[in-house]
Amino acid sequence: MQELNMDIKCSINPYYFNKYQSPTKSIGTVFRGVQKIPLDVVEKSADMFIKKPVELESTAGLLGLKPIDKVRKTQTVFSRIKNYAKNYVKNIKHTYEHKIVFALIEKELFGKNSIDSITHDADKMILYILGFPKSFVSSFHRKHSSHHPESGKKMNLRSMLCDNIASSPEFKPEKKLSLREHYRTSKLLQSVSGLYSILERYNYGEDLDFQKIKRNKDIASKEIKGLVYASGILSLLNFL
């Protein structure tokens, strides 16, 4: 059998590095290791094969639950229900406390309470207990109450005065402007006929003993604490 002699010639690739050295020169050209690939090439290639998590679309409301995954921690049904109940108890509590402050201010300013101290914000209380969200309750209330200019009704100036004092920073820390400053910067309030005169007559409520009103409010609030929580539970059961 005839022997075949074949020479294989290879070009040296500069990307190869010398990991192995042949002990003899007679073998010829030797492959010298593995190819060195630039780091940026590796990273770009890896991105093609790694599936990145797709961000879930945000949803609102109690029923807008997201699937639980390892990338993003989500709330459970129980925690959503708990937050729902907590927020509605808070809304009912704040509304009732506002009613108390309103009645106390009316008594201090006019010497006695009118039917307004009973009916004030009663619609908000009922709507909250029935489970309606805060945004709807606030909008509905302003469109149907005679102490809010948005209603388009003839303004109940006495109720409007007490409501605005009860909504001042002394009783609602989230409010940043005093009643005097609020009126000065509000075109809507300035458009109400007769409001400026009654605000000036009662000095924007600034002569009231706010600390006394707060103490009386705290006493009354403790007495109705059970009622507030019961209302919150009723609201939750109505929703479910």
Side-chain angles (χ1 to χ4, degrees):
M1 180 180 293
Q2 186 179 2
E3 294 184 0
L4 296 177
N5 293 325
M6 182 179 294
D7 294 333
I8 300 177
K9 295 182 180 181
C10 299
S11 298
I12 302 301
N13 192 318
Y15 282 107
Y16 288 83
F17 64 92
N18 187 14
K19 289 187 64 178
Y20 170 73
Q21 181 65 41
S22 174
T24 176
K25 300 293 184 179
S26 62
I27 299 178
T29 303
V30 179
F31 289 106
R32 297 179 178 178
V34 297
Q35 185 177 12
K36 293 192 297 182
I37 304 177
L39 183 59
D40 60 333
V41 175
V42 175
E43 292 176 345
K44 291 180 181 178
S45 299
D47 287 339
M48 297 173 60
F49 299 99
I50 298 176
K51 185 178 180 181
K52 297 181 179 180
V54 179
E55 184 176 358
L56 298 175
E57 183 179 356
S58 175
T59 57
L62 178 63
L63 298 181
L65 300 178
K66 304 174 184 177
I68 298 177
D69 53 46
K70 296 180 180 179
V71 179
R72 190 169 185 175
K73 184 178 180 181
T74 60
Q75 290 181 310
T76 63
V77 175
F78 175 77
S79 63
R80 284 296 182 93
I81 293 176
K82 182 179 179 180
N83 288 337
Y84 169 88
K86 181 179 179 180
N87 288 335
Y88 272 77
V89 167
K90 180 180 178 181
N91 291 335
I92 295 170
K93 181 175 181 291
H94 285 184
T95 302
Y96 202 95
E97 287 180 344
H98 175 72
K99 284 176 60 65
I100 293 172
V101 173
F102 178 97
L104 292 171
I105 290 173
E106 186 184 44
K107 181 70 176 293
E108 290 291 323
L109 288 177
F110 302 104
K112 62 179 181 179
N113 289 119
S114 68
I115 189 65
D116 290 342
S117 63
I118 299 175
T119 62
H120 183 74
D121 285 3
D123 58 335
K124 294 178 71 174
M125 288 290 295
I126 294 172
L127 290 173
Y128 278 137
I129 292 174
L130 291 177
F132 287 92
K134 184 176 181 180
S135 57
F136 173 82
V137 173
S138 297
S139 177
F140 179 90
H141 173 70
R142 287 180 173 276
K143 290 178 181 178
H144 296 85
S145 301
S146 61
H147 57 276
H148 285 293
E150 294 92 331
S151 67
K153 298 181 179 182
K154 180 181 179 180
M155 291 293 94
N156 183 336
L157 295 179
R158 172 169 168 157
S159 180
M160 198 172 187
L161 172 65
C162 296
D163 180 59
N164 277 277
I165 297 174
S167 299
S168 59
E170 286 78 11
F171 304 104
K172 292 187 176 182
E174 67 273 15
K175 304 287 186 179
K176 302 304 178 184
L177 298 177
S178 66
L179 177 52
R180 187 183 295 273
E181 294 170 332
H182 179 46
Y183 180 82
R184 182 172 57 83
T185 58
S186 174
K187 298 297 183 182
L188 185 61
L189 290 182
Q190 292 174 14
S191 68
V192 178
S193 177
L195 180 59
Y196 177 75
S197 297
I198 196 171
L199 288 174
E200 286 289 321
R201 185 189 312 168
Y202 292 96
N203 197 29
Y204 296 83
E206 294 171 0
D207 297 331
L208 291 171
D209 187 344
F210 293 123
Q211 295 304 318
K212 175 185 175 182
I213 294 174
K214 288 179 183 178
R215 288 194 299 270
N216 291 336
K217 184 265 293 184
D218 291 339
I219 294 173
S221 296
K222 291 179 181 179
E223 295 175 353
I224 55 92
K225 183 177 180 180
L227 174 63
V228 169
Y229 280 95
S231 299
I233 294 173
L234 179 60
S235 176
L236 177 59
L237 292 176
N238 177 76
F239 177 85
L240 297 176

